[in-house]
């Protein structure tokens, strides 16, 4: 870490795959030092085209300054880049550049580039070391941590992938200053999620500081990124491969959210927006099942609204409740078509609830908001 950079370091405890997440303004400048100390001589930067001349260039400069030879491959912005076609293009580019196992991959961008570059690193030459340099809020609090990598097929999102932990994550909170408002707000949905599932104090901080958080006050942004990353790291370290059920709590709001994304088409709703609506449904479901008092659902609703997140679908043609339930039954997290949801027990605590009657879910989806 360069001495001029004040970073908070969060460790992801995973025995021989343990790594550090450095969070703070300016940590991009530490990329060279980080890769250098890991013995990298050469690096391939896979960068979102939207951050090429800004953040990816800064990463490149830092690596070169540390004496690391670099090559940058831009990736078009947008979910469509998480494709077989794009993966093949990157594999061929690495082959042409004679990349070998001593070359490190550096992903610079949001979750799209992180998932894609991570997958390329996991598969090329049976595995290259990868570093995540997340530049969206979603990526800094969620996708860059935990080693899930992958691409989409026509048949579904993230259907091909691998668990491939990064060597390190450098989350420069200053990069978030250039993020479009809608993308930033969408990332806040995942932060609200962490509060709901694991941390009532985080939830309360969001309630108290909503205005400053929306204004991207640096200290507030850093605080929520550090807390969210810490929570994600602790879940991942206890259930790396989603086997014990613990990691599944990260899907709070997502069963509903994925159904909306599927029904409406990716791109219309941002992921975080779909999750915000999904969390609203999940809270309503928990209230109807008598699991939580209505007050918790009301507070979640108020917080999402204060953060400018949607709590219902935008007007326009909407999928029927029946269509949404059918999509949920096909979700890859569903076992044998039985509906299961992560539902609140209290603020900061959730549990996996199985075998919920479809009729209750249909009622929740059909309610007039
Ligand atoms: N692996 C995981 O655990 C995990 C978790 C959550 C989401 N994801 C995946 O992440 C993806 C979504 O990620 P995302 O929300 O970061 O979207 P994204 O990667 O598409 O980035 C959103 C937009 O922001 C632009 N951008 C990125 N950084 C910027 C910056 N600093 N300034 C200005 N513009 C910037 C990009 O060009 C893009 O247009 C989805 O594919 C999702 O499946 C993965
Ligand atoms: Zn999510």
């Amino acid at each position: 870490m360069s001495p001029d950079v004040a970073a908070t370091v969060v460790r992801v405890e995973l025995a021989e795959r343990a790594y550090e997440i450095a969070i703070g303004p300016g940590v991009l400048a530490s990329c060279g030092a980080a890769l250098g100390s890991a013995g990298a001589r050469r690096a391939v930067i896979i960068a979102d085209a939207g951050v090429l001349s800004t953040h990816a260039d800064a990463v490149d400069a830092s690596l070169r300054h540390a004496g690391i030879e670099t090559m940058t491959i831009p990736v078009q912005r947008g979910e469509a880049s998480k494709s077989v076609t794009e993966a093949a293009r990157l594999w061929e580019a690495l082959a042409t550049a004679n990349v070998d196992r001593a070359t490190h991959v550096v992903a610079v961008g949001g979750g799209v580039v992180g998932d894609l570059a991570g997958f390329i690193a996991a598969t090329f030459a049976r595995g290259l070391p990868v570093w995540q340099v997340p530049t969206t809020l979603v990526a800094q609090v969620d996708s860059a941590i935990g080693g899930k990598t992958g691409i989409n097929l026509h048949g579904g999102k993230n259907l091909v992938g691998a668990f491939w932990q990064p060597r390190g994550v450098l989350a420069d909170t200053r990069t978030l200053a250039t993020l479009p408002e809608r993308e930033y707000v969408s990332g806040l949905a995942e932060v609200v999620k962490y509060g709901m599932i694991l941390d009532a104090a985080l939830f309360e901080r969001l309630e108290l500081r909503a205005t400053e958080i929306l204004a991207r006050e640096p200290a507030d942004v850093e605080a929520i990124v550090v807390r969210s990353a810490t929570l994600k790291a602790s879940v991942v370290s206890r259930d790396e491969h989603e086997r014990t059920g613990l990691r599944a709590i990260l899907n709070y709001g997502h069963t509903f959210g994925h159904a909306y994304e599927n029904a409406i088409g990716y791109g219309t709703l941002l992921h975080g927006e779909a999750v915000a609506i999904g969390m609203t449904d999940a809270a309503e479901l928990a209230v109807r099942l008598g699991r939580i008092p209505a007050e918790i659902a009301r507070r979640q609703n108020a917080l999402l609204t204060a953060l400018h997140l949607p709590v219902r679908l935008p007007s326009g043609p909407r999928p029927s409740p029946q269509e949404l339930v059918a999509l949920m039954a096909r979700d890859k997290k569903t076992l044998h078509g039985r509906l299961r949801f992560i539902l609140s027990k209290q603020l900061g605590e959730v549990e996996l609830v199985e075998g919920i009657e479809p009729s209750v879910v249909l009622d929740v989806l059909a309610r007039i908001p």
Side-chain angles (χ1 to χ4, degrees):
M1 217 55 49
S2 336
D4 56 322
V5 174
T8 303
V9 174
V10 174
R11 244 183 103 71
V12 186
E13 298 293 353
L14 282 170
E16 69 283 0
R17 287 186 301 285
Y19 55 97
E20 290 182 344
I21 308 164
I23 303 161
V27 301
L28 276 193
S30 312
C31 284
L35 268 79
S37 62
R41 309 287 313 148
R42 203 173 165 213
V44 175
I45 300 168
I46 300 182
D48 186 292
V51 299
L52 205 55
S53 59
T54 50
H55 314 310
D57 272 1
V59 171
D60 186 50
S62 167
L63 295 174
R64 283 171 191 265
H65 186 71
I68 297 166
E69 187 195 323
T70 63
M71 168 180 140
T72 298
I73 312 180
V75 168
Q76 263 191 25
R77 59 202 300 167
E79 185 71 28
S81 285
K82 270 175 61 174
S83 66
V84 177
T85 317
E86 190 61 8
R89 180 181 76 92
L90 293 173
W91 284 320
E92 295 293 352
L94 298 196
T96 307
N98 293 318
V99 161
D100 59 19
R101 284 198 203 157
T103 308
H104 291 218
V105 172
V106 184
V108 186
V112 163
V113 155
D115 282 10
L116 172 67
F119 178 66
I120 296 301
T123 47
F124 190 84
R126 299 195 181 83
L128 302 176
V130 65
W131 297 78
Q132 294 285 351
V133 183
T135 64
T136 65
L137 186 57
V138 167
Q140 294 193 354
V141 302
D142 190 359
S143 61
I145 307 160
K148 279 193 183 176
T149 72
I151 56 174
N152 306 325
L153 299 182
H154 297 300
K157 227 171 108 73
N158 299 325
L159 273 185
V160 175
F163 282 102
W164 191 247
Q165 297 296 342
R167 285 296 173 91
V169 180
L170 292 110
D172 190 332
T173 44
R174 215 179 267 154
T175 62
L176 303 180
T178 57
L179 199 60
E181 178 71 6
R182 199 172 159 203
E183 296 287 349
Y184 177 74
V185 165
S186 172
L188 290 174
E190 302 286 358
V191 181
V192 172
K193 177 191 81 178
Y194 290 119
M196 285 300 295
I197 65 176
L198 286 166
D199 190 347
L202 171 61
F203 188 91
E204 282 155 13
R205 173 196 279 272
L206 296 170
E207 290 180 320
L208 284 172
R209 305 287 297 175
T211 310
E212 293 80 3
I213 289 166
L214 275 178
R216 303 188 213 183
E217 288 292 340
D220 288 281
V221 172
E222 197 176 332
I224 59 172
V225 173
V226 167
R227 190 63 197 143
S228 302
T230 304
L231 293 167
K232 172 103 191 229
S234 99
V235 169
V236 166
S237 65
R238 285 177 287 155
D239 183 18
E240 183 181 8
H241 298 116
E242 210 164 320
R243 281 185 192 133
T244 69
L246 178 64
R247 196 167 170 160
I249 67 172
L250 299 171
N251 287 317
Y252 175 62
H254 282 60
T255 307
F256 287 105
H258 288 151
Y260 289 123
E261 287 183 294
N262 264 312
I264 291 174
Y266 292 92
T268 314
L269 274 181
L270 294 183
H271 175 69
E273 294 167 348
V275 168
I277 303 169
M279 290 193 291
T280 309
D281 292 336
E284 178 65 25
L285 180 58
V287 170
R288 291 193 186 207
L289 293 171
R291 307 182 77 89
I292 50 165
E295 173 62 9
I296 292 184
R298 191 202 60 74
R299 270 176 81 181
Q300 182 189 268
N301 209 301
L303 176 58
L304 293 170
T305 306
L307 294 172
H308 298 177
L309 281 159
V311 293
R312 65 188 65 125
L313 280 181
S315 50
R318 43 181 68 230
S320 71
Q322 287 74 12
E323 186 187 339
L324 291 165
V325 166
L327 285 165
M328 286 181 221
R330 284 212 305 268
D331 193 297
K332 67 178 185 286
K333 307 246 158 43
T334 305
L335 279 186
H336 320 298
R338 276 158 60 92
L339 291 176
R340 36 190 234 159
F341 293 92
I342 306 295
L343 296 179
S344 292
K345 279 180 84 173
Q346 57 177 340
L347 206 58
E349 193 182 350
V350 286
E351 61 188 340
L352 179 66
V353 184
E354 306 205 54
I356 292 177
E357 283 301 318
S359 60
V360 191
V361 181
L362 287 168
D363 284 349
V364 166
L365 291 167
R367 77 189 185 282
I368 307 296

